[in-house]
Amino acid sequence: MFRFEIITCYNLSMPVFVKDANKCVGCLICMFACGRAHLATGLESSCIKVRSQGGISRGFSVFVCRGCEDPPCARVCPEDALVVRKGGGVLLKEDKCTGCGHCVKACILDAIGWNNGKNKPVICIQCGECAKSCHYKVLEYKRT
Amino acid sequence: MIKEDTLKKVLYIDLSKKKFWIEERDDLFSQFIGGTGVAIKLLHENCKYDTDPLSSDNPIIISIGPLNGLFPIASKTVALFKSPHTGNLGESHAGGRSAIAIRMAGYGAIVIKGKSERPCYIAIHGDRVYFKDATTLWGLEEGVSAASLIRRQESGAGLRTIMRIGPAGEKMITYACVTLETYRHFGRLGLGAVFGSKNLKAVVVSGKRDLKVNDFKGYKECYSNLLKQLAESDKMKKYHELGTPANVMPLSFSKGIPMKNLTISELEGLENISGESFAEKHLGRRVACSHCPVACIHLGALRKPYEDEPYFYRTVYLSYDYELIYALGTMLGVASPEGVLRLIEVVEDMGLDAISTGVVLAWSTEAFEKGLINEKMTEGVIPQWGDVDAYSQLINKIVFSEGEFFKDLGKGIDYASSKYGGKEFALTYGKNEMPGYHTGYGAHIGYLFGARHSHLDSAGYAIDKEAMIKSFDEEQFAEKIITEEYWRQILSSLVICFFGREIYTPQIILQCLKLTGFDLDEKRLTEIGKEIYAEKYRFKIKCGFDVDNIELPQRIFELPSGTGKLNKDFAEKIIGKLKEKIKSLL
């Protein structure tokens, strides 16, 4: 109950945000950390993405869930498989998900991953493991 | 190996028949781990010893190991082939996104055989393999990049590798490289020419998957420990901060960095091309290979004016490293960072191995000074120490000129010096040009007997560093050189970047291997390393490499090294010991 109040008071969202993508070296350590946070090894169960901005000399962009308070991904889900989380972001009810992929298209940040093996989205769990693993402080994790 | 691990899959691609197939080789991977260990076995299987390196029969073996995709700094890919530069074992390692892309695509090795009728590139996206036309990508003019065109055509952005050749590879210069992700290379021994001989412009690989480990909790602990060490350990500091150019000043103090074809030990203005100076004035960005937090790739920004258009500039980013500052800087008497960066740009545009190119130009400069070659042969360009414009033109001519002299230079200085003279100052080892360490016996004899004639075979400079404070006899030198090379076979079978070698101790490697389903002990690991090295030597010797008929360049005995003037008789004694050790392995 107490926790709920804090959340409403401080309007917590964006537990992870991209602080300075210019410092990104493209090592992908955050992507592997995201995979481990989803209890996997590798990149199939990772939702954060790092891509070069048209060639490595131009640097990198990082695509990570900002934990929207009114998330479009949840709104477009025809099966109600994405439940809005208290404090931002969504939770995936895997048994309800049919793998239609609407959520991926609805996310303008491109922050939803796709697990081809399961044919289901990979959703950010707002754990901040990506930010914690980044040596270069590209990402910041804020949770009070 | 874990039963479900896709590492055991070897993808065969036949460019002549445009066919591909997969073979599962648990036998090879469980015995030789992966990377260089598996690749040398595949090379024995797929390459006849008398194969012409530039014929369709020369296979390209690209391989990775069990630690790739699972542990940080296990970020390297190994390529084996018969080298068009030396006529025997060709081996080159590269990072970029390659190792992770191949692992994620679900393979442990890729074997490319045959020759395409027309220029083509191969796109491997997971289990799908496409043969794509590359006639439009062949012979591209300056300013158009094949890689950027391929990027637009192919999927897998962010996770793919694009290995491609430049004009030097297309023209089969025997020291042409293969470039990956703009800044990394299969640099040495001419893989680019082998690509060219197959009409193969590029190989794209992408994929995405989860891998298996034996104990997830144990894996996470092991991973965090490694990540912490890679971030915080002093052992990695050098690569983090100034990068490999941190070595320029220390090696110049000890006279270990070769200058002007090893004719002098001091270069005016050297401090301008130190790691410190590059970082201060030119470092524009740092980037990393996939799954490596170190980010040792230092990109220098070079601002270039347009000569015909005032107030128009372009800024290019070029990756500088110690070896490039040596080969295109000190070796050529170029002591300005802009000069070094300009030469790096030409070498990158051409797709050449920077070390060989620098040493070829250095030999040419001395040969010109001594009158062995003349202005007519060089088509009016006079090679002169420090003359960046002349060197840029010469590099272009090595690739594009039809003149006989440049055709010869395109085969390296072992070849050129046997035709024009100047063997005594041709700095080659087993036909491969010298890396940037004139530090002592360890370095030079390491290059001579290393399986790929590279400083990376046995890191002899590190042995020389030890020899500065301890005295070693011939047996100790020989033993240190060969033991280090055995151990490096393991690192490059896993495949860990050598920069992480001090973090990846045998104990940590055994722990990582256990998590990936390899139950080995340290003794067995050492034996495997030795066996891989022996397999490489068997290949070399069957291709005609003669351990009794190779020698050190005369020049190295003339100029004091980092550990003083080298004594030829003592060098011979070490060589004698090494030969015995190698012969006893076979």
Side-chain angles (χ1 to χ4, degrees), chain B residues 140-279:
Chain B
L140 281 176
E141 298 293 321
E142 205 182 333
V144 191
S145 132
S148 70
L149 295 170
I150 293 172
R151 273 204 292 271
R152 290 212 314 252
Q153 292 293 319
E154 298 297 329
S155 61
L159 298 177
R160 65 191 168 195
T161 185
I162 305 178
M163 311 172 180
R164 68 273 192 174
I165 57 166
E170 292 176 11
K171 302 252 178 206
M172 292 182 263
I173 305 303
T174 63
Y175 45 96
C177 72
V178 173
T179 304
L180 304 83
E181 287 65 90
T182 317
Y183 300 116
R184 298 291 90 186
H185 313 85
F186 287 114
R188 308 226 66 193
L189 297 172
L191 182 60
V194 181
F195 266 54
S197 73
K198 296 184 173 311
N199 271 332
L200 179 61
K201 181 71 186 177
V203 178
V204 185
V205 188
S206 82
K208 191 159 77 71
R209 70 181 54 242
D210 282 336
L211 304 166
K212 288 245 174 349
V213 286
N214 276 332
D215 159 18
F216 188 67
K217 193 165 164 263
Y219 165 71
K220 284 212 322 187
E221 275 167 24
C222 180
Y223 191 106
S224 345
N225 170 35
L226 282 165
L227 204 57
K228 193 169 152 50
Q229 284 199 59
L230 286 167
E232 293 168 12
S233 166
D234 275 350
K235 292 165 190 162
M236 302 311 295
K237 204 173 164 191
K238 177 172 92 180
Y239 305 115
H240 270 301
E241 295 179 349
L242 296 177
T244 56
N247 286 336
V248 171
M249 291 320 284
L251 277 165
S252 80
F253 293 138
S254 66
K255 318 241 179 278
I257 180 167
M259 295 167 177
K260 295 189 185 174
N261 211 36
L262 275 192
T263 52
I264 53 161
S265 307
E266 270 175 46
L267 185 65
E268 201 183 326
L270 181 88
E271 63 283 0
N272 297 325
I273 53 170
S274 65
E276 291 80 357
S277 161
F278 265 97

Side-chain angles (χ1 to χ4, degrees), chain B residues 472-527:
Chain B
F472 295 138
D473 63 18
E474 61 269 26
E475 170 60 28
Q476 285 167 316
F477 262 113
E479 187 59 24
K480 278 182 180 290
I481 291 170
I482 205 162
T483 316
E484 181 63 23
E485 193 159 355
Y486 294 158
W487 179 244
R488 289 186 171 222
Q489 306 308 317
I490 296 298
L491 297 176
S492 52
S493 295
L494 293 166
V495 177
I496 297 166
C497 174
F498 289 157
F499 291 172
R501 66 186 177 277
E502 291 187 57
I503 307 284
Y504 277 86
T505 58
Q507 288 69 31
I508 290 198
I509 287 174
L510 289 170
Q511 193 188 351
C512 295
L513 279 170
K514 195 163 185 198
L515 289 162
T516 54
F518 288 80
D519 213 355
L520 301 167
D521 57 30
E522 198 170 336
K523 185 167 166 274
R524 181 68 199 124
L525 214 52
T526 316
E527 282 166 10

Side-chain angles (χ1 to χ4, degrees), chain B residues 5 30 89 126 160 273 277 303 327 373 412 437 451 479 520 551:
Chain B
D5 198 338
S30 48
L89 179 67
R160 65 191 168 195
I273 53 170
S277 161
R303 185 169 175 247
I373 55 174
Y437 306 88
E479 187 59 24
L520 301 167
E551 53 184 25

Side-chain angles (χ1 to χ4, degrees), chain A residues 22 25-29 31-32 36 39-45 50-51 54-60 114 135-136, chain B residues 69 97 100 157-159 181 183 208-211 216 219 223 231 240 285-295:
Chain A
N22 273 314
V25 296
C27 67
L28 314 189
I29 290 287
M31 293 178 67
F32 284 97
R36 288 195 305 285
L39 306 178
T41 57
L43 297 172
E44 185 73 329
S45 308
V50 177
R51 286 195 202 118
I56 284 165
S57 58
R58 296 196 172 92
F60 299 91
W114 195 259
H135 285 195
Y136 299 96
Chain B
R97 302 222 175 288
I100 305 307
L159 298 177
E181 287 65 90
Y183 300 116
K208 191 159 77 71
R209 70 181 54 242
D210 282 336
L211 304 166
F216 188 67
Y219 165 71
Y223 191 106
H240 270 301
R285 190 181 285 288
R286 273 174 53 200
V287 294
C289 295
S290 288
H291 217 172
C292 172
V294 176

